[in-house]
Amino acid sequence: MTPDETMSVFMSWGEKTAEFIQMRNRILLSEFQKTPRNFTQKEAAEYCGVNTRTINKYAAEIGIDPTRHEDAMWNLDISELYAVYDALPDKLKMVKRFKRKPDQKCQIITFNNQKGGVAKTLASVTIASGIATEYRERFRVLIVDLDPQANATMFYAPGATEQGHFTATDLMFDNYELEDGETFDDLVKESCRKTTIPNLDIMPASQNDRNFDDVIRTMEISRNKENPYGLLKSVLDHVEDDYDVILIDTPPSTLLPTYNAYYAATSLIMPVTPSAVDL
């Protein structure tokens, strides 16, 4: 094959891949969107640390009817459970809602391993949802997806980039245009997409983020940026007051986005599986 013929074949594969990804995202968005967690009466009482009579009393006071569902005898989704817990008198609450003190920093945890397939993404999304839901302090949590495979995004925000949400990589490498009157601060906050867990947001990734490796080389970013390793930190600085914990899922590599995740982190977790290759 000639170079032109080879390039044509690769371009055709790329187009088919893009079509498949769009189809997959449409299916995920329409059929497999992560649904809010639901609680039975017993589970709600255990979470709130009160008896079922108290749960029903304060649910009624704020206008929530847990028995309204046709397919369940008694049910609260996670947003309703939070509202009921907030309605309880302070003396009945097991713990108060967490509020950072002036000297407390936002904790930024990076998950990385140069090898793929070590449950890095699974660990980051599981820990993120666990921190958000299993503590009554109601920590505000953000997942930052830096992996172009966008598997973390598939968990909580399928179709996000197709709907116009910018990725963390877009924000790091100036791949955006501000609208009239819009500030970069506004753009970063809008890029943190809500999930089905009220206190868990995600800054999505996209398959298109793969292109930035080539962009970085061609633009010689180390000369055009004062600190090429602090790009992600400069983005997260705009939302660090909005969250208590930020978890960063990185690609299985040590390219510039990964170095940025290291630079921004206050802690680092390296998931491994028990094999010589991983270690």
Side-chain angles (χ1 to χ4, degrees), residues 108-113 120 144-147 168 172-173 228-234 236 246-251 253-269:
I108 302 177
I109 306 171
T110 287
F111 291 77
N112 179 252
N113 189 319
K120 172 176 53 61
V144 177
D145 193 357
L146 283 186
D147 189 347
M172 288 164 59
F173 300 117
Y229 304 109
L231 302 177
L232 179 60
K233 185 179 185 305
S234 68
L236 297 182
I246 297 175
L247 299 98
I248 306 172
D249 184 33
T250 61
S253 65
T254 49
L255 298 172
L256 190 57
T258 302
Y259 289 132
N260 270 264
Y262 290 156
Y263 189 93
T266 58
S267 302
L268 175 65
I269 294 178

Side-chain angles (χ1 to χ4, degrees), residues 100 140-141 185 189 192 201 238-244:
R100 273 166 50 199
R140 302 165 300 168
V141 184
D185 188 74
K189 292 180 185 298
C192 299
D201 296 347
H238 290 268
V239 293
E240 66 174 356
D241 290 336
D242 299 330
Y243 300 98
D244 304 309

